[in-house]
Amino acid sequence: MYYPYFRGKQYDLFALTALLENDLLSPAVQPIIEPVKNSKALKKFTALSQQKNQPFYLIQNPQAGDFLTADGMEHLRSLQLSKALIVEQPIETLTESPELFIVGDSVPTLESDWQHNQTKVLVPEEFRLLRKVKGQKILSQDVFTRLPRSSFYQECTDELFSIAHLTYRKRGFVGFSDFSIDSRIYYEHSYPSSILSLHLVYFDDEKLRIHHFLSSEDAPTQKEKFFEMIDEINKWTVRLCGKQLTFGLQLLLDAAAADKFPGMGVMRKAAVMHHLELMSRYLNKKESAN
């Protein structure tokens, strides 16, 4: 089971919603949403997920954003959704009963008594925490290489992304998690760059790799830089997703065919959609084989 973790950014929610609308998100992909904005995008995603019976978890005590008020927290508690809770105090002192614990700060986790825990736990790959926490554990990894400037990806344009989907069961976990095309560290804005980048994952002998598609610095406009990347992506389409294009990749190619630069937000949305659709295909295929 795959539990991608999102900070509730608008275009990430747009990506999840578009996949749901087109029945491209597997039930084996169960997003964890840490809501940072009380947005229409969040409301639409949660409503559609309920309508489609798509499993997901909404964090009740986010660590940043619009809900860090008494009213905001009360609003989250009032929602009849699958609840997740970041561990901020020993779990035996909690009055809430979430369906998922999320280990952040190690101190309250190590102070907790996990012996009789019946709740799933999302836990990072830290030896002390893995030894202490009992119950059904989901492995949380920060696998995306986030660099401050797109030009830095020129040093390594292709790299291993993850093999957690191949190893998590052997290691005793019930699921695996990452931050998709993002990192554990929350940020609102990236640094400006003279190079456009697009980060697309692909399977290579069942290992998940990622290619960083980059424009040149020389093209005079964002639109021309986008078209440079699309020229390269066109050479990679079969490697990226086989004979059947992902919906996210199709969005980018359609924009280029219409002679349009879709904007950075749509590029982000497309990359997340591409990642989650590939994972949905992989997990559905594995489930069918079993």
Side-chain angles (χ1 to χ4, degrees):
M1 201 74 72
Y2 176 41
Y3 300 84
Y5 191 115
F6 294 99
R7 274 359 185 295
K9 293 181 181 179
Q10 178 173 253
Y11 281 95
D12 291 347
L13 293 169
F14 285 164
L16 290 165
T17 300
L19 291 172
L20 280 174
E21 288 173 335
N22 291 274
D23 296 320
L24 294 172
L25 193 62
S26 169
V29 177
Q30 301 190 6
I32 300 168
I33 309 296
E34 182 177 353
V36 295
K37 293 187 182 300
N38 191 11
S39 63
K40 291 181 180 178
L42 176 63
K43 293 171 185 174
K44 184 175 181 180
F45 167 72
T46 56
L48 186 59
S49 293
Q50 289 178 298
Q51 179 187 327
K52 296 268 190 177
N53 294 316
Q54 172 66 39
F56 76 100
Y57 297 87
L58 190 69
I59 293 175
Q60 302 300 295
N61 56 339
Q63 305 297 291
D66 291 353
F67 293 97
L68 298 185
T69 64
D71 288 344
M73 293 295 186
E74 185 59 35
H75 173 66
L76 289 177
R77 291 191 193 99
S78 71
L79 298 175
Q80 299 301 308
L81 301 170
S82 295
K83 293 176 169 58
L85 202 65
I86 296 172
V87 178
E88 297 181 294
Q89 64 192 73
I91 61 169
E92 60 271 21
T93 66
L94 294 171
T95 56
E96 300 96 332
S97 297
E99 296 179 44
L100 177 69
F101 282 128
I102 296 173
V103 171
D105 187 351
S106 62
V107 174
T109 304
L110 294 172
E111 291 175 345
S112 296
D113 179 5
W114 294 93
Q115 292 302 317
H116 305 291
N117 175 52
Q118 299 296 313
T119 302
K120 287 182 181 177
V121 190
L122 182 73
V123 60
E125 199 168 18
E126 183 183 322
F127 181 70
R128 290 184 311 152
L129 297 175
L130 292 177
R131 286 197 65 186
K132 175 73 174 179
V133 173
K134 306 298 180 186
Q136 292 185 308
K137 288 180 278 194
I138 299 163
L139 176 64
S140 174
Q141 294 181 311
D142 191 355
V143 295
F144 178 66
T145 304
R146 182 167 69 85
L147 300 177
R149 297 186 184 276
S150 296
S151 58
F152 295 172
Y153 289 104
Q154 292 172 327
E155 299 297 320
C156 181
T157 58
D158 195 274
E159 58 184 321
L160 180 67
F161 187 73
S162 179
I163 58 169
H165 54 285
L166 299 174
T167 62
Y168 76 97
R169 289 190 188 278
K170 297 174 186 176
R171 298 178 63 189
F173 296 97
V174 299
F176 62 99
S177 177
D178 55 43
F179 298 85
S180 188
I181 315 300
D182 211 337
S183 72
R184 191 183 302 276
I185 301 170
Y186 174 70
Y187 65 100
E188 285 280 1
H189 303 289
S190 59
Y191 293 96
S193 178
S194 57
I195 291 177
L196 280 187
S197 61
L198 191 60
H199 313 284
L200 297 175
V201 300
Y202 66 98
F203 279 103
D204 180 30
D205 288 335
E206 290 204 84
K207 295 178 181 178
L208 197 61
R209 298 187 63 82
I210 188 166
H211 194 83
H212 308 290
F213 292 91
L214 306 170
S215 73
S216 69
E217 296 185 65
D218 303 329
T221 66
Q222 296 284 76
K223 180 178 176 181
E224 289 173 90
K225 290 175 182 178
F226 172 68
F227 288 157
E228 284 184 347
M229 287 194 301
I230 289 297
D231 286 342
E232 185 66 18
I233 287 169
N234 270 317
K235 301 172 187 175
W236 274 71
T237 52
V238 173
R239 192 182 303 183
L240 287 170
C241 51
K243 295 180 181 179
Q244 181 185 356
L245 287 176
T246 59
F247 193 9
L249 199 54
Q250 189 68 62
L251 281 180
L252 298 172
L253 298 178
D254 286 348
D259 196 36
K260 293 179 180 178
F261 170 54
M264 301 298 292
V266 173
M267 288 169 56
R268 163 78 185 180
K269 169 186 171 182
V272 172
M273 289 174 65
H274 173 76
H275 177 204
L276 297 190
E277 185 177 347
L278 280 187
M279 290 307 301
S280 292
R281 289 183 189 178
Y282 175 86
L283 293 171
N284 285 343
K285 184 178 179 181
K286 283 292 181 184
E287 189 173 321
S288 297
N290 296 334

